[in-house]
Amino acid sequence: MRDFYGVTLNSPLMLGTAQYPSPAVLAEAFRTSGAAVATVSLRRETGGGQDFWALVRELGVRILPNTAGCHSAREAVTTAQMARELFQTPWIKLEVIGHSDSLQPDPFELLKAARILCAEGFEVFPYTTEDLVLAERLVEAGCRVLMPWGAPIGSGLGLNNRYGLRSLRAHFPDIPLVVDAGLGLPSHAADAMELGYDAVLLNTAVAKAGDPAAMARAFALAAEAGRLAHEADPMEARDMAAPSTPVIGKAWLS
């Protein structure tokens, strides 16, 4: 498992903490899945108060505060600074939304915020697209993790641009990559991990499932299966059939 700013995680699954039907269901989803990271919005924490923060601490996982809902670099930087003080961690998932319908990141404001936060000592996890140029600029700014989207947040569409995600993996072989957003089924998580990604982050697919704990476990198993498949060096797809049973030694009738 690749390091995330010097931290080795024991699971490739990261889960959000919003939209669960109850705190007990949230805790059970984390317990059954073994997820290594919990993303927490500053707005979510302040809305839930000390009870929610106590619950998150009891999960025993790494906390990744995020700047969800921010639409400018200035707003994101201020939110990140507040989150660092509250959660006592340099980690920050940087979200700067540029499009209200697709929730696509604003590349210009995202890069501006990343530069400021990296200079201030934050360990930034930028929510980005699969654009290679933007990814290069984020790495140059100091980001040591990239989190490209699979599809729009909450859409459940899976990997919309496999070519782009595969290209990103090939271009940054030494940078931890996390598919963030748009995963709706465990098979989507396996797909991302089979491409060589290091982790997946999701929220809605688990929190809104009929049985969130069971779905969280399913995603954990799928992510682990995908990672093992990638490490096993899977066969390449081919256009023609190839027999699995050799014809050498077969009796031929004349």
Side-chain angles (χ1 to χ4, degrees), residues 3 11 21 29 45 69 79 101 109 114 116 120 127 132 158 161 170 176 195-196 207 213-214 216-217 219 221 244 250:
D3 286 349
S11 168
E45 195 283 332
T79 302
D101 290 333
E109 294 296 296
I116 294 171
E120 292 186 1
Y127 165 61
L132 283 174
N161 185 357
L195 289 179
R217 177 63 175 158
F219 267 99
L221 292 171
S244 57
K250 178 182 177 181

Side-chain angles (χ1 to χ4, degrees), residues 30-93:
F30 273 86
R31 188 188 67 79
T32 60
S33 68
V37 171
T39 59
V40 180
S41 168
L42 184 65
R43 292 173 173 82
R44 175 75 176 92
E45 195 283 332
T46 53
Q50 291 301 315
D51 289 342
F52 177 75
W53 180 216
L55 171 64
V56 171
R57 285 183 299 192
E58 290 172 1
L59 295 176
V61 298
R62 189 86 183 189
I63 303 300
L64 177 60
N66 67 43
T67 61
C70 292
H71 290 77
S72 70
R74 181 178 180 180
E75 184 182 10
V77 168
T78 300
T79 302
Q81 292 167 338
M82 295 171 63
R84 179 165 63 177
E85 182 176 345
L86 177 62
F87 297 109
Q88 295 296 300
T89 176
W91 280 21
I92 191 73
K93 178 188 170 186

Side-chain angles (χ1 to χ4, degrees), residues 163-177:
Y163 169 79
L165 292 172
R166 189 184 299 112
S167 298
L168 202 64
R169 176 73 285 173
H171 196 75
F172 297 99
D174 300 321
I175 295 289
L177 299 180

Side-chain angles (χ1 to χ4, degrees), residues 71 97-106:
H71 290 77
I97 301 302
H99 192 269
S100 57
D101 290 333
S102 67
L103 301 181
Q104 179 172 325
D106 182 326

